[in-house]
């Protein structure tokens, strides 16, 4: 049985510091669990206190997930400053003809790899990415 992935626009504004920064950020949901919660639970296994992250914009997330062969993993969240590539968790993705695999959670600033095992039906995964692409192209959500 495959895992399910979906992307949802998070309502409201994300505040970075004291200034509202942007709207139209996207939450990643795996089997109806939000990625912020998944990452926090995984990091709690390594540290007493997990790091704090915020969501990426639809455009940032779409660009990251479609450039899935990055050596150091694909950034799936931002640090609380809101700058992509500042301090972000990453996921390592592999694909074959039928499936997409998320094999490990990493970090672009800290040397760790937490094994994860998500297997998505490739057709369902690509349909979810198409929905994410539509969010990225919809300028009314920003």
């Amino acid at each position: 049985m495959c895992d399910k992935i979906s992307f949802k626009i998070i309502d409201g504004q994300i505040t970075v510091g004291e200034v509202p920064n942007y709207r139209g950020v996207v939450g990643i949901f795996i089997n109806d669990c939000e990625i912020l919660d998944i990452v926090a639970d995984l990091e709690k296994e390594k540290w007493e206190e997990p790091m704090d992250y915020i969501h990426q914009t639809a455009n940032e997330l779409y660009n990251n997930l479609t450039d899935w062969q990055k050596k150091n993993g694909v950034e799936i969240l931002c640090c609380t400053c809101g700058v992509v590539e500042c301090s972000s968790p990453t996921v390592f993705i592999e694909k074959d003809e039928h499936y997409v695999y998320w094999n490990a959670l990493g970090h672009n600033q800290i040397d760790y790899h937490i094994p994860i095992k998500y297997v998505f039906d490739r057709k369902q995964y690509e349909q979810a990415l198409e929905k994410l692409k539509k969010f990225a192209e919809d300028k009314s959500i920003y």
Side-chain angles (χ1 to χ4, degrees), residues 7 19 40 78 96 136 141:
F7 305 99
V19 182
C78 297
D96 66 24
I141 65 172

Side-chain angles (χ1 to χ4, degrees), residues 39-106:
V39 170
D41 288 344
L42 290 168
E43 286 188 350
K44 281 180 192 173
E45 295 175 11
K46 289 201 82 69
W47 303 289
E48 192 172 309
E49 283 295 317
M51 295 177 65
D52 291 323
Y53 304 108
I54 60 174
H55 301 93
Q56 296 178 3
T57 66
N59 192 50
E60 290 165 341
L61 185 57
Y62 179 77
N63 287 337
N64 286 340
L65 289 174
T66 54
D67 188 14
W68 58 273
Q69 294 178 309
K70 291 182 178 178
K71 177 182 161 189
N72 295 322
V74 173
E75 293 172 0
I76 54 174
L77 294 166
C78 297
C79 84
T80 56
C81 78
V83 176
V84 175
E85 299 178 358
C86 179
S87 183
S88 304
T90 61
V91 68
F92 293 84
I93 301 173
E94 294 179 17
K95 296 181 181 183
D96 66 24
E97 186 178 336
H98 301 288
Y99 301 104
V100 176
Y101 307 90
W102 285 19
N103 296 319
L105 179 74

Side-chain angles (χ1 to χ4, degrees), residues 7 62 65-66 95 125-133:
F7 305 99
Y62 179 77
L65 289 174
T66 54
K95 296 181 181 183
Y125 187 90
E126 289 176 354
Q127 287 171 341
L129 282 179
E130 281 301 310
K131 184 176 180 181
L132 179 59
K133 181 180 180 182

